[in-house]
């Protein structure tokens, strides 16, 4: 098993997983949402640039930083994203966005896309 740190968001990710907080709205590059979420078994959502305004957040790298929720469930992540997304006059890069989600919908008719070359190369041995 390969061990690695998950960055400055390891503590907040663990707090979310333990139920100490309902959710965290976290800002940073991909490692600060995706990695701790994966390691802690929670849902981390790194939205498209501009979907969530960065008003009031400290920018570390304006082109990479994104605000996104870390929650215990997918449904919670969508509720938080719905509350925080949309345009803000304080952030000129923010854009209007829409979120359609129906938790009762079945999987019939869904289409899944993938990048075939990403599946060809075998994984290295552990």
């Amino acid at each position: 098993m390969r061990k690695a740190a998950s960055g400055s968001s390891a503590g907040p990710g663990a707090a979310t997983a333990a139920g100490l907080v309902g959710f965290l709205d976290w800002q940073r590059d991909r490692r600060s949402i995706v990695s701790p979420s994966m390691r802690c078994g929670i849902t981390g959502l790194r939205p498209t640039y501009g979907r969530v305004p960065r008003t009031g957040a400290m920018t570390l790298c304006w082109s990479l930083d994104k605000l996104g929720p870390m929650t215990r469930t997918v449904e919670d992540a969508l509720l938080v994203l719905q509350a925080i997304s949309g345009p803000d006059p304080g952030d000129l890069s923010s854009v209007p966005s829409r979120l359609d989600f129906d938790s009762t919908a079945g999987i019939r008719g869904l289409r899944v896309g993938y990048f075939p070359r990403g599946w060809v190369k075998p994984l290295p041995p552990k």
Side-chain angles (χ1 to χ4, degrees), residues 16-121:
T16 302
L20 301 175
V21 295
F23 71 91
L24 288 166
D25 185 20
W26 206 250
Q27 171 226 354
R28 290 288 294 274
D29 58 18
R30 68 178 175 82
R31 293 179 309 272
S32 290
I33 294 174
V34 176
S35 179
S37 296
M38 179 185 66
R39 293 181 184 280
C40 294
I42 60 174
T43 299
L45 185 72
R46 186 173 178 256
T48 305
Y49 184 81
R51 183 175 194 123
V52 176
R54 297 166 298 151
T55 312
M58 183 182 81
T59 303
L60 298 174
C61 178
W62 68 270
S63 63
L64 294 175
D65 289 351
K66 296 174 180 72
L67 292 174
M70 293 192 327
T71 62
R72 294 180 80 188
T73 68
V74 171
E75 289 83 2
D76 288 346
L78 291 169
L79 286 171
V80 173
L81 181 63
Q82 192 170 30
I84 64 175
S85 65
D88 185 326
D91 182 358
L92 299 178
S93 67
S94 63
V95 296
S97 61
R98 202 176 106 170
L99 181 64
D100 293 324
F101 174 70
D102 180 4
S103 64
T104 63
I107 60 170
R108 284 206 186 279
L110 288 180
R111 292 172 50 179
V112 177
Y114 71 99
F115 188 56
R117 273 193 285 174
W119 295 88
V120 173
K121 186 177 177 184

